[in-house]
Amino acid sequence: MSAASVRPTARDFVRFDGVSVRYGTGTSAVQALERADLSFAAGDFICIVGPSGCGKTTLMQTLAGFLKPTSGEVSLEGKVVEGPGPERGVVFQQPALFPWMTVAANAGFGPRLRGSRDVDARAETWLRTVGLWEFRDRYPYELSGGMQQRLAIARALCGEPKILLMDEPFGALDALTRERMQEELHAVWRRTGMTVVFITHSVEEAVYLGTEVVVMSPRPGRIVDRIAVRFAREMAEDGIRAVKSDPEFIATRERVLSLIWQMGET
Amino acid sequence: MLLGWWALTISGVVARDLLPSPLDVWNAAQKIVRDGYRGTTLWGNAWSTVGRLLAGFGLAALVGVPLGLWMGRSRAVGAAIDWIVQFMRPLPPLSYMILLILWLGTGDGSKVALLFLTAFPIIVAASAAGVRSVSALRIQVAESLGASRAQILRHVVLPSAAPMVLTGLQVALAAAFSTVVSAELMAATDGLGWMVISASTFLRNDVIILCILILGVLGMGLAWMLRLLDRRLVHWRGRL
């Protein structure tokens, strides 16, 4: 738990300053997050891992604006987060689509709320990107689980956020679909240079998708380590499979895993 | 069923007066359609029943759905009104029917009020529950896409609550339907329920059975119409 491994970043695109979150009061109070300090640059792909109850979702919720820190503050581009906003797109483990809207209407929901004129064009762009254009007139319940999650991602991206917050987005998918989705997300990130914060249970996923892996520990939830990873930036064409057999990849994965094992549970 | 009924009547096991045969009922139907029943027409009576039903149910839906949605949205409004609804819901409507007749007379007023009171708590409770059960994730998604409170209400809360609201309307219609007939049996000067009671004093069991058949068909028809509406409006019901 050395503070030395927490390195300062050149740009403070996102900053968590001593962010604590406490649920409840008195003896039943739970310290979900204790004095979290974290900052990262635009274009980073930050993966957050840690056992259940380590506060990773809580951390993300303060950035999304769904949760107010008990103390400390979170800022994006120097602006303190006061609530949810369209510059921060979110994707949950559940796709949480709007079943009364067609696929196209789901995708274009954000821009339509703001009365944008290019709703259709934007929806088309993102639906094509995630391979759902031919399903534009269908309803979400006619899609498979993986397609539903792709639509949830397209909907978030269509809102043109500056940062994409993903809370175990592939956690409910089968292994094959999951791998394909990882490739696709990675391709979108490479092409757009979007900043992503990605919560996952899978250390492997974190190590090949992230430019940095943030390790958290539970009771109370805190950040214990940050590990810079190079695979995400290098993995242009050889894909996930090639990276997985790289000895350095394996070493990094084992390092993160042993950090988590030291906490006594996985 | 029709065959069993027919066999029972021609075999003479049951007296013709008590259980008329299908043919007797058919003949009675033709006669009533042609000549009317004691100065009233069959369609007039059916329309009286349906008219009351739709007036009471329609009013209850008109007031109950918005009120229920509001209760679901606002904790204060919910707490203020919920106990009234919970008190009304288990009451058999006929228990206060007599008061309504004393206050509003035996005409349509008391019956529309009764049907309103029957359907209203069901519709309110279902609408409030519909709003309360809206997925928090959907609301968070909408918030993070920049939706205002009004936009969330219109684009997320209302459609999310729609399946439960429509279920409430269907249950309320069925309850109102059985209440309207009972109410007409108690005190009325027209309507299918009145025809049943009137026919019973003359031992015209063929007319009673005719009325019951028409009531059954009417009830089925109304429920079917609501189900059709349900399927069009909330095509996603049970699918996500």
Side-chain angles (χ1 to χ4, degrees), chain B residues 49 115 176-186 192-194 196 215:
Chain B
T49 301
L115 295 173
F177 192 82
S178 67
T179 303
V180 71
V181 178
S182 314
E184 286 175 353
L185 289 173
M186 272 176 76
L192 289 170
W194 167 80
V196 168
L215 282 169

Side-chain angles (χ1 to χ4, degrees), chain A residues 17-39:
Chain A
D17 279 309
V19 174
S20 296
V21 174
R22 182 192 291 273
Y23 294 115
T25 50
T27 49
S28 64
V30 176
Q31 189 76 34
L33 199 59
E34 188 165 273
R35 298 199 50 77
D37 292 306
L38 181 69
S39 64

Side-chain angles (χ1 to χ4, degrees), chain A residues 11-254:
Chain A
R11 285 172 296 163
D12 291 336
F13 182 65
V14 170
R15 273 191 75 93
F16 292 82
D17 279 309
V19 174
S20 296
V21 174
R22 182 192 291 273
Y23 294 115
T25 50
T27 49
S28 64
V30 176
Q31 189 76 34
L33 199 59
E34 188 165 273
R35 298 199 50 77
D37 292 306
L38 181 69
S39 64
F40 47 86
D44 278 353
F45 195 121
I46 306 295
C47 288
I48 304 176
V49 296
S52 323
C54 70
K56 40 190 198 294
T57 292
T58 304
L59 186 78
M60 176 175 288
Q61 294 228 320
T62 60
L63 176 53
F66 299 141
L67 199 61
K68 250 193 162 45
T70 316
S71 62
E73 61 181 30
V74 187
S75 59
L76 174 72
E77 289 187 309
K79 261 177 59 191
V80 175
V81 170
E82 302 279 8
E87 70 283 357
R88 285 155 288 142
V90 295
V91 176
F92 300 106
Q93 182 171 352
Q94 310 301 328
L97 300 167
F98 305 120
W100 51 89
M101 296 181 195
T102 61
V103 166
N106 265 282
F109 187 60
R112 204 167 58 249
L113 286 175
R114 275 169 278 150
S116 307
R117 251 182 248 156
D118 57 343
V119 178
D120 295 338
R122 264 203 263 171
E124 178 173 351
T125 303
W126 286 110
L127 285 176
R128 282 191 191 282
T129 304
V130 300
L132 287 178
W133 178 241
E134 57 188 299
F135 299 97
R136 59 191 176 277
D137 295 325
R138 301 285 190 88
Y139 285 93
Y141 51 77
E142 298 175 284
L143 306 181
S144 70
M147 287 157 84
Q148 290 185 5
Q149 197 59 309
R150 288 215 293 270
L151 177 54
I153 293 170
R155 177 178 61 184
L157 291 170
C158 206
E160 296 198 331
K162 291 175 177 164
I163 183 167
L164 189 59
L165 311 178
M166 310 181 86
D167 190 349
E168 294 195 42
F170 308 145
L173 304 178
D174 64 88
L176 273 174
T177 311
R178 188 177 180 137
E179 197 159 299
R180 278 197 49 205
M181 298 283 291
Q182 289 164 348
E183 297 262 19
E184 284 175 20
L185 174 64
H186 194 263
V188 167
W189 172 74
R190 272 197 321 260
R191 209 171 52 243
T192 60
M194 169 93 53
T195 314
V196 181
V197 178
F198 188 97
I199 292 180
T200 176
H201 262 114
S202 161
V203 170
E204 191 159 273
E205 184 174 68
V207 173
Y208 56 67
L209 284 181
T211 55
E212 182 172 310
V213 177
V214 175
V215 184
M216 296 183 69
S217 79
R219 284 175 293 277
R222 55 160 62 113
I223 294 167
V224 291
D225 209 348
R226 301 176 58 178
I227 296 157
V229 192
R230 63 175 177 84
F231 308 106
R233 296 218 188 272
E234 293 172 5
M235 179 173 65
E237 298 310 320
D238 26 342
I240 287 170
R241 299 218 152 259
V243 170
K244 276 185 177 172
S245 52
D246 186 313
E248 196 186 326
F249 170 81
I250 296 168
T252 312
R253 188 189 62 196
E254 291 311 307

Side-chain angles (χ1 to χ4, degrees), chain A residues 61 66 84-86 88-90 92 94 96-101 109-110 113-114 139-141 148 155-156 159, chain B residues 135-148 151-152 155-157 159-160 233 235-237 239-240:
Chain A
Q61 294 228 320
F66 299 141
R88 285 155 288 142
V90 295
F92 300 106
Q94 310 301 328
L97 300 167
F98 305 120
W100 51 89
M101 296 181 195
F109 187 60
L113 286 175
R114 275 169 278 150
Y139 285 93
Y141 51 77
Q148 290 185 5
R155 177 178 61 184
Chain B
S135 142
L137 280 189
R138 273 186 199 155
I139 291 180
Q140 289 191 333
V141 164
E143 281 176 342
S144 75
L145 288 170
S148 65
Q151 284 176 324
I152 288 174
H155 296 292
V156 181
V157 174
S160 290
L233 285 181
H235 52 86
W236 66 92
R237 183 191 284 285
R239 296 209 261 187
L240 198 75

Side-chain angles (χ1 to χ4, degrees), chain B residues 38-71:
Chain B
R38 294 170 47 74
T40 63
T41 66
L42 188 60
W43 309 127
N45 282 313
W47 174 244
S48 296
T49 301
V50 172
R52 284 169 190 142
L53 179 74
L54 292 184
F57 171 78
L59 275 176
L62 226 56
V63 181
V65 171
L67 185 66
L69 296 174
W70 192 24
M71 281 172 66

